[in-house]
Amino acid sequence: MPRITAARVIVTCPGRNFVTLKIECNDGTTGVGDATLNGREMAVASYLSDHVVPCLVGRDAHRIEDIWQYLYKGAYWRRGPVTMTAIAAVDTALWDIKGKLAGLPVYQLLGGAARDSVMVYGHANGATIEDTIAAARDYQQQGYKAIRLQCGIPGMASTYGVSKDRFFYEPADADLPSENVWSTSKYLRIVPELFKAAREALGWDVHLLHDIHHRLTPIEAGRLGKDLEPYRPFWLEDATPAENQDAFRLIRQHTTSPLAVGEVFNSIWDCKGLIENQLIDYIRNTVVHAGGITHLRRIAALADLYQIKTGCHGATDLSPVCMAAALHFDLSVPNFGIQEYMRHTPETDAVFPHAYRFANGAMHPGDAPGLGVDIDEDLAAAHDYKRAFLPVNRLEDGTMHDW
Ligand SMILES: O=C(O)C(=O)C[C@H](O)[C@H](O)CO
Ligand SMILES: [Mg+2]
């Protein structure tokens, strides 16, 4: 039996913060799990070191489901992003260990490949519509079949999804939260223009996506969905805050534009109503924030009953360890839809050597035993944690709004 002898929480900042759990077994096998919660990293690091690691030592690393249930039910205080991210880190590391001990990539343990590779979408953004379309053309040339479009809003100094750097985007940009200003009416005018121009310039053989980032009311989202229908968006993401799952019913009544939601959800309970009432088309939970591979499979199985597909979150605050785990899940899950792919910087890639690869708009996790990803602990130690927050958003009159 592979007995857990130690587990370490490694915090590193190769340009942005990442928290990684590394579990060691008595036979020398190790496994890694991502535990990064953007802007709240140290809360998960403490949850793991102070409350989880002491309970892991001595356990049989093969008993993934039992350890998951032990950590979930055993905490008494269920769910929440901190708890579920910590559980995800343990779960992911245990799948990595199981794969290494079996000599198989994790996707083989999940039932094997259900497709040859997984379609990913890249992020095209720019200050203007023209810049955004130029960026989208770059992605097309690199082989992407699906591209997310976000552009600046005339009259607004900055907005979600529009980067200062041409290739990399990191919203957690300051030691204290930056303050952004938001105007729904200005936004609702520009997005249909962006999609119209994009279809004219890029044609119809590319999937176009858009992230509303929780900023509209249901009826505003219904209006935007309707306005975008002629341009056939692949999806509209996070149309409205989803604490009230019923809110999506109103959007659905007004538009056939497909809806995606879930990157901030951390358990099946956050999306049960959305799924069972067929109020969405894509569920966006991913490994690190939704309880690991074990819990994500449960969510996907429920979604599959209702023809809802997966579309895992894959921003750069999810480390390469999460990306690898997501790709093993994507390759094996029957109702895969699409995977988000925001490239990490070369500094991050150096800290997390990995086997996954991109070609022709799609990715594959590789065939190394386990997840095929590791953390270079010496290199990680050279990058000290640096506090960084996500921005906050205010309306033009100063009212706090959703970011
Ligand atoms: O990638 C996306 O769709 C996002 O919305 C990215 C989020 O803002 C980011 O992960 C927050 O940490
Ligand atoms: Mg998003």
Side-chain angles (χ1 to χ4, degrees):
M1 173 209 340
R3 197 171 283 288
I4 297 172
T5 49
R8 278 194 302 291
V9 180
I10 304 155
V11 181
T12 181
C13 184
R16 69 156 346 282
N17 293 314
F18 293 109
V19 181
T20 308
L21 179 72
K22 190 159 201 172
I23 297 182
E24 281 177 19
C25 298
N26 55 351
D27 65 352
T29 312
T30 61
V32 285
D34 184 18
T36 310
L37 186 61
N38 207 5
R40 295 292 186 273
E41 295 86 358
M42 301 316 279
V44 185
S46 154
Y47 191 104
L48 281 167
S49 321
D50 295 332
H51 307 293
V52 172
V53 168
C55 306
L56 289 179
V57 174
R59 289 183 189 279
D60 177 357
H62 268 323
R63 297 184 63 175
I64 298 178
E65 184 67 45
D66 181 65
I67 292 177
W68 196 97
Q69 298 294 336
Y70 178 87
L71 293 175
Y72 183 80
K73 294 179 176 158
Y76 184 67
W77 312 108
R78 295 182 184 203
R79 305 159 57 192
V82 174
T83 299
M84 297 306 280
T85 300
I87 294 177
V90 175
D91 183 80
T92 309
L94 295 179
W95 278 104
D96 191 22
I97 288 169
K98 196 181 276 295
K100 286 178 182 166
L101 292 174
L104 290 170
V106 167
Y107 75 81
Q108 294 290 11
L109 307 179
L110 303 177
R115 55 198 54 79
D116 299 331
S117 60
V118 304
M119 178 169 69
V120 297
Y121 69 90
H123 284 213
N125 65 80
T128 63
I129 290 178
E130 294 68 38
D131 291 351
T132 308
I133 290 174
R137 279 195 206 282
D138 272 7
Y139 276 98
Q140 266 185 315
Q141 273 155 19
Q142 290 167 49
Y144 282 82
K145 313 271 186 294
I147 303 170
R148 190 183 92 159
L149 302 176
Q150 308 287 141
C151 80
I153 303 173
M156 306 268 89
S158 62
T159 189
Y160 165 75
V162 180
S163 164
K164 292 185 192 82
D165 185 288
R166 186 143 167 62
F167 294 110
F168 302 107
Y169 176 54
E170 180 44 67
D173 58 0
D175 184 43
L176 285 173
S178 312
E179 299 235 344
N180 292 354
V181 179
W182 176 251
S183 159
T184 296
S185 56
K186 290 183 177 126
Y187 168 78
L188 286 177
R189 278 203 298 276
I190 192 87
V191 183
E193 286 175 31
L194 169 66
F195 269 70
K196 182 169 188 291
R199 279 297 176 211
E200 281 163 8
L202 307 171
W204 294 86
D205 287 338
V206 59
H207 297 300
L208 299 179
L209 296 78
H210 181 68
D211 190 350
I212 298 170
H213 221 260
H214 326 268
R215 289 162 187 221
L216 299 179
T217 64
I219 201 70
E220 289 163 350
R223 153 70 58 205
L224 182 62
K226 222 176 193 174
D227 287 350
L228 294 183
E229 277 170 24
Y231 315 114
R232 301 285 186 272
F234 183 90
W235 79 29
L236 298 184
E237 179 190 337
D238 288 338
T240 197
E243 286 96 327
N244 173 18
Q245 298 181 34
D246 275 342
F248 279 72
R249 209 181 289 282
L250 190 58
I251 308 175
R252 262 300 201 233
Q253 281 163 0
H254 290 283
T255 182
T256 55
S257 286
L259 301 174
V261 67
E263 68 181 38
V264 301
F265 296 169
N266 49 68
S267 82
I268 198 165
W269 302 101
D270 298 321
C271 47
K272 183 173 174 289
L274 288 169
I275 293 172
E276 288 175 344
N277 295 304
Q278 293 181 269
L279 300 179
I280 55 170
D281 302 282
Y282 295 90
I283 181 70
R284 270 180 59 69
N285 307 57
T286 193
V287 175
V288 59
H289 299 141
I293 293 172
T294 299
H295 196 61
L296 196 57
R297 290 179 90 202
R298 201 154 279 151
I299 294 171
L302 178 66
D304 194 27
L305 299 182
Y306 299 93
Q307 301 186 47
I308 293 167
K309 296 184 177 182
T310 65
C312 289
H313 186 201
T316 38
D317 48 294
L318 285 65
S319 89
V321 175
C322 177
M323 190 67 202
L327 290 171
H328 286 279
F329 165 80
D330 294 338
L331 197 67
S332 59
V333 73
N335 50 329
F336 169 75
I338 198 166
Q339 168 69 49
E340 180 178 14
Y341 178 44
M342 241 174 126
R343 287 161 298 185
H344 288 106
T345 60
E347 292 75 21
T348 296
D349 283 341
V351 171
F352 297 97
H354 51 258
Y356 60 75
R357 53 184 191 265
F358 170 89
N360 299 322
M363 292 181 78
H364 191 283
D367 282 295
L371 294 173
V373 63
D374 207 349
I375 181 163
D376 178 331
E377 292 191 56
D378 292 335
L379 208 49
H383 300 287
D384 288 338
Y385 167 75
K386 193 161 168 273
R387 193 176 71 191
F389 283 95
L390 288 169
V392 297
N393 221 7
R394 289 187 189 276
L395 301 181
E396 288 166 294
D397 70 357
T399 307
M400 278 299 301
H401 193 62
D402 301 280
W403 181 79

